[in-house]
Amino acid sequence: MSLASPGGLGPAAPGRVRVLEDRLINQIAAGEVVERPASVLKELVENAIDSGARHLRVSLRGGGRELVQVEDDGCGMDKQDAMLCVERHATSKIRAADDLAAIRTLGFRGEALPSIAAVSRFELTTRRADLGSGTAVIIDGGRLVEVREAGSPPGTRVSVRSLFFNLPARRKFLRTEATELQHCQDTLLSQVLMREELGVELFHEGRPLLRAQPGEPLLTRVEALLGPSVRGLVPVQVRSEEVPGGLVLTGLASPPDLHLASARGSLWLHVNGRTVRDPQLRRAVLDAYRGLVPRGRYPVVVLDLRIEPSQVDVNVHPAKSEVRLRDAQLVLRSITEGLREALSERGIRASAMSPPRGMRSPSLEIERVQERLPGLQPPAPPAPPAPPPAPLPRPEPSRVQPARPEPPPPDLAWDSGAGPPQPARALGLRWIGTFGEAWLVCEHEDELILVDLVQARAQRVRRAMAERPPPRPLLAPRTVELEPALAEAVGPRLPELLPLGLELEPFGGGTVCLRALSAPLAAADAPTLVRAACARLQEGLPAERIADRLARLVAESPVPLSPYEQKGLLEGLDLDEPGLALRMPAEELRRRLSRRGG
Amino acid sequence: MTFVPPAAPPQSEAELAARARLLGGRSLAELAAERRIQVPPDPRRAKGWIGLLLEQALGATAASRAQPDFPQLGIEMKTLPVDERGQPRESTYVCTAPLDGSMPRRWEDSWPCQKLARVLWVPIITPSRSEIGDRLVGTPFFWSPDPDQAELLRRDYQQLTERIDRGEVWDLDARHGEALQLRPKGAHGEDWVWALDEEGEWVQTSPRGFYLRASFTHAVIRRALLLPG
């Protein structure tokens, strides 16, 4: 029998088949384990959690492409273990094949660290609390450079620099800094969301992005990490004894009015504390919400499935993101039915289907339009909501009759966003483009929405300033001429502007010197900003009013926004702000266009 | 214009900070005129001249390059020419690199480490084709390497010195080193120093110096100051 040579290079010649070098094996393995900075982060965070850490500090640079660093205060390692852990298939977490059947730690394969070290500039510094000094292991592209004694606090710090520096082809496939950062952020969130005992900090280029204190209740933690757009999640707990060893599903789930347009950022699922992206589990959760949220929308859930380790195989995928359930049908059915029941106990049933927050239901919208427009008859009442929801009836043009003696102009049909039934946040607004360089055009479900660009920017600046970022020194101080009377009046009061983000000092005559500025104000023209702040200080306006004016000035600065930045503006935008958004339900648009067309 | 005599050495970091603060936002022509110093017409001579002007304004005393500019405070002053957006225009010279095998093995014992332990950075805003006198002094700031930066510098230093020790200095150029790099240093092409080659033979070569990459100093300034854009 002839033996085919590796790579299909023709008949094998003696000596052509070789056992690969360890370094090459690790580089190949890295192809499975290390896909991008986020996968490095995932492995490092898993190790930190498995080490019993109470606090994690994650630092990224260049979206993780330049640096992924995880510091923990876990058990640390002695020199021998530190050297061993970067060997392939070296792990402290399993010892025999039987252990695979009951894995309770997040990592176990023992291939992550050597794989990562093979494709980066890798450094591990670690110390066990009972030892006087620590150990540093430095590996460059899989080559051990140095092992030395090192000063270190108890715990471990792993720094992964210049990922794929020795594999240019792989590096080329990394995405933009923003995209990689987003992946890293999502990965970290999924790992730590439900670990209430774990303190977490995430920094990018030295700036804090995420922070959660250990010991906070899950709801507080999730809102702190995912942001105010998920406010309103309700606790759920499901127990089932049908599954051998029992099944407990705990966490938070969204009420019917909280749903997202994208699955990303909506389903945070864990099995025995391990983050999974398992399609079967996602389907089981989504099935529980069938009829509760509109089709194509996703509920927000943060859930952990606790199940006997022997009932689940996590060794299915190199990234351990999928699981194989021993009795899948039984477990999945328990999840769907149990979750639906838990929601039902909280009064959340299929009939409660609502539009997302900040988005009025089409029926409500039609009522409001009807109040304002001439010639509109109240439409037929919508069919009682039941799964699947019945489409809303379109009003008959023939029934149109004058409703008011003095009709308002037609453009009032656009709802200015006043008076929704509950506090609104824009969830999943889809950016379409800009109009007249002054409005963002976007859509959400059945609504076309125009957003005032300046006002949206001002809202963003106000929100950033509310966190009181300290002023940062300018590249060079700026002097600004004021009216002499104004300069004299506000001179002694200039320190009052410090909490508003401006560090100013008198500079002689009618001049003041701007030395430092908070970052959210940086886009504005500095002299205009200073004059406006000083003038309002002299008028005796309260700090909030001055801050509003400054935010407006920043928003009015003629800095063109890229589509990416425009989309970013829509994230978390509060559409309830008067005058911010105009909305046109598709139903209304169809009605008006067809009427004119006819 | 009032004559301002050379400043006496500052007695504390706070005093140095206060002096430096007063320079921020002023043009080099103003500072030179106050000290009755003529602005050189040739921009190629600007680098040394700017350093001397600022040393005089701040009270630096160290005539020898082997010790920090403010030896009593252990502080080195570094001017940093940047464009209007704060992007450094060039790499920053740190100190000469001995090529005769006398370089300490440990980063902590090295000249660059001592020079960079505490730095007063003085950005000089240098628009393209600007006259020397028109350039503005930016906001000066103090800096010490954070643990990450120190590790980066240490690693670069060790890799560079290992190769120098192996007689590979001729293979090293500005491409080596993430933060710290080795580059030819010498005002005149005819300057020579002795170095050991791969065979351990003494040979003459041009002097080299340690420099900080512009990307590194950009990260430093970006963290310290609010840069435009």
Side-chain angles (χ1 to χ4, degrees), chain A residues 57 68 85 273 292 428 458 515:
Chain A
R57 183 186 163 94
V68 177
C85 76
L292 283 175
R515 290 202 172 271

Side-chain angles (χ1 to χ4, degrees), chain A residues 364-413:
Chain A
L364 177 63
E365 201 58 56
I366 287 170
E367 284 163 24
R368 294 171 65 85
V369 169
Q370 182 275 328
E371 281 175 17
R372 294 171 177 179
L373 277 178
L376 265 186
Q377 186 91 340
L392 287 164
R394 294 176 60 177
E396 293 290 330
S398 59
R399 287 205 214 148
V400 171
Q401 290 176 4
R404 296 187 179 204
E406 294 211 352
D411 63 358
L412 278 186

Side-chain angles (χ1 to χ4, degrees), chain A residues 485-497 504-506 512 537:
Chain A
L486 176 61
E488 193 180 342
V490 300
R493 298 182 57 198
L494 290 176
E496 292 175 37
L497 294 173
L504 285 162
E505 60 188 38
V512 292
L537 188 64

